[in-house]
Amino acid sequence: MASLKALKNRISSVKSTQKITKAMKMVAAAKLRRAQMAAEAARPYSERMAGVMASLAGKITPGPQSPKLLAGTGNDQVHLLVVCTSDRGLAGGFNSNIVRAARRKAEDLQRQGKTVYFYLVGRKGRAPIARLFPRQIVHQYDTSGIRQVGFADAQAIANDIVERYTTDGIDVVHLFYARFRSALVQEPMAQQIIPVQPAESAANDSGAGVPPAVEYEPDEEEILAELLPRNLSVQIFRALLENAASEQGSRMTAMDNATRNAGDMINRLTIEYNRTRQAAITKELIEIISGAEAL
Amino acid sequence: MADLHFELVTPERLLRSEDVHMVVVPGTEGDFGVLAGHAPVMSTIRNGELAVYRTAGAEPERIAIEGGFAEVNEKGLTVLAEKADVPA
């Protein structure tokens, strides 16, 4: 049986751990509120953007002259997986879930004989992916200096990806992030961002009958050429915001559990401590009594 | 005449959603004013100023915007700008 001193030390160490996890939980809760608000505030833009993209894409029939971002390269040999993770750990299964989704996709693609590359956003995805696919990480976008994700960051990532897309012979780009459903539920998501997947525009068009004639200024092609990279930035921006909210939600839940577990552990240790203390007292009493009887 | 429903959206948030009289949009191929019942138009915009007229003849409110595009449909005018400076 552990000594009283050892138990006492143990209890105080668990207590200080509990203080840390509790503080982290509260910080995550506060950050979650902010991240969630940011994600919600950004929703109208991406919704409008998706609407416009759908109506435009429905009007243009993909041909050899149409932009590559829309129609693709005509191949699907080389895949780039953009994996968005966080910079900090201690967020439960948040990062490993995203990485697992990406890894499954990569293994799937490799089994079909495709080439897979990784583009990492955030620090925590690097270690597991580098272990499994050591030579396939093309770039890691550093987000450690960013406190609140801004549109400029998303734009920088999007530009970088578009550049690699046009120069490195990449055919398909997938985006991995965790969609925020609630503080308890975050779903890892895989989304194909290049070429743009035809949205549910076809369904809308057939339902609405003849769409009103829209004037374009300048013409459709030029608008589309400007819109496509922007749409990409918006998609990435949304993914980053969702990710930020998911990270905080996941951390909050994980830290809540940790705090509760620490509490349970403290209770158990305290009981053990008291028992040991009582046993020691009883032992002392027995010693005194038997000593007195011997006299 | 009914008012024009005007929305100004940036990636960060929805900045304006209100009914106004007229908005002058700095399109890439020239400024154009949008009143209620304008024909559907989609246009890219250049960096410049939106002029929002709350009522006819009122002093316009000017909002500096950067990049993006404007869409006019039967519901009103939606400006998707990359950046917008809204005086608080």
Side-chain angles (χ1 to χ4, degrees):
Chain A
M1 190 173 266
S3 75
L4 276 181
K5 177 84 178 148
L7 277 173
K8 217 179 202 168
N9 281 344
R10 196 72 203 288
I11 290 172
S12 74
S13 115
V14 175
K15 265 188 185 155
S16 62
T17 309
Q18 189 189 30
K19 265 184 205 148
I20 294 170
T21 56
K22 206 174 191 173
M24 280 184 79
K25 181 198 151 192
M26 284 186 315
V27 170
K31 281 189 178 163
L32 170 67
R33 267 236 334 252
R34 233 185 313 146
Q36 213 176 338
M37 263 157 50
E40 267 158 29
R43 217 161 272 165
Y45 190 89
S46 63
E47 271 166 18
R48 304 272 143 72
M49 184 62 112
V52 171
M53 278 303 293
S55 68
L56 262 178
K59 289 198 174 67
I60 291 174
T61 42
Q65 80 290 346
S66 58
K68 285 227 159 64
L69 289 180
L70 179 69
T73 51
N75 268 325
D76 69 335
Q77 194 51 46
V78 186
H79 289 247
L80 180 70
L81 307 188
V82 181
V83 184
C84 304
T85 54
S86 68
D87 285 318
R88 283 158 200 281
L90 289 180
F94 172 73
N95 287 312
S96 48
N97 282 345
I98 298 172
V99 169
R100 191 179 314 134
R103 197 187 73 203
R104 267 207 207 117
K105 181 82 182 171
E107 280 166 355
D108 231 32
L109 289 168
Q110 283 186 329
R111 224 169 293 131
Q112 293 165 31
K114 316 262 196 245
T115 318
V116 178
Y117 291 110
F118 288 93
Y119 184 101
L120 304 179
V121 180
R123 207 162 57 88
K124 278 287 161 184
R126 185 173 192 94
I129 288 177
R131 196 166 54 234
L132 290 159
F133 310 97
R135 263 179 221 125
Q136 284 150 273
I137 297 177
V138 290
H139 185 71
Q140 179 181 18
Y141 187 85
D142 185 21
T143 51
S144 54
I146 298 168
R147 289 194 59 220
Q148 173 84 39
V149 195
F151 189 60
D153 303 311
Q155 242 174 343
I157 297 172
N159 289 344
D160 201 8
I161 291 174
V162 169
E163 201 169 299
R164 279 163 207 283
Y165 181 76
T166 39
T167 57
D168 294 1
I170 287 159
D171 299 314
V172 184
V173 180
H174 304 269
L175 181 66
F176 289 87
Y177 64 98
R179 205 179 65 164
F180 182 80
R181 294 250 320 262
S182 70
L184 289 171
V185 186
Q186 299 90 28
E187 280 180 290
M189 293 284 289
Q191 187 189 354
Q192 185 181 321
I193 48 174
I194 304 176
V196 176
Q197 292 219 302
E200 59 287 6
S201 62
N204 285 345
D205 279 355
S206 59
V210 184
V214 180
E215 268 180 61
Y216 291 95
E217 198 187 294
D219 57 24
E220 284 105 322
E221 303 267 322
E222 266 174 75
I223 290 190
L224 202 58
E226 214 198 290
L227 212 61
L228 282 165
R230 190 162 296 155
N231 179 48
L232 195 65
S233 318
V234 171
Q235 298 286 353
I236 291 172
F237 184 54
R238 217 197 47 176
L240 290 181
L241 286 176
E242 295 260 342
N243 234 12
S246 299
E247 181 196 344
Q248 300 305 341
S250 184
R251 174 164 303 130
M252 197 178 90
T253 332
M255 287 302 123
D256 190 36
N257 282 338
T259 310
R260 208 164 322 127
N261 287 344
D264 290 350
M265 201 162 173
I266 289 170
N267 283 345
R268 250 188 305 116
L269 287 171
T270 314
I271 288 172
E272 202 184 325
Y273 174 80
N274 287 338
R275 283 211 182 118
T276 318
R277 191 172 52 88
Q278 277 180 334
I281 292 168
T282 316
K283 212 175 97 195
E284 249 170 66
L285 277 176
I286 290 170
E287 273 164 17
I288 292 168
I289 293 165
S290 47
E293 271 174 3
L295 281 176
Chain B
M1 191 169 69
D3 279 339
L4 168 75
H5 187 67
F6 162 62
E7 288 193 343
L8 175 61
V9 198
T10 64
E12 266 98 7
R13 61 207 190 93
L14 178 69
L15 284 171
R16 287 290 154 86
S17 178
E18 57 195 0
D19 288 333
V20 296
H21 174 66
M22 177 173 86
V23 181
V24 177
V25 183
T28 9
E29 297 188 340
D31 291 10
F32 58 93
V34 182
L35 284 159
H38 193 286
V41 166
M42 172 113 57
S43 169
T44 50
I45 49 186
R46 62 184 157 76
N47 302 347
E49 276 184 340
L50 276 176
V52 184
Y53 295 80
R54 264 167 217 285
T55 51
E59 197 58 25
E61 180 194 3
R62 297 191 180 278
I63 304 172
I65 54 172
E66 262 177 55
F69 58 95
E71 187 194 14
V72 182
N73 56 25
E74 63 278 12
K75 285 184 214 106
L77 166 70
T78 308
V79 177
L80 297 174
E82 220 135 83
K83 268 192 206 150
D85 270 331
V86 176

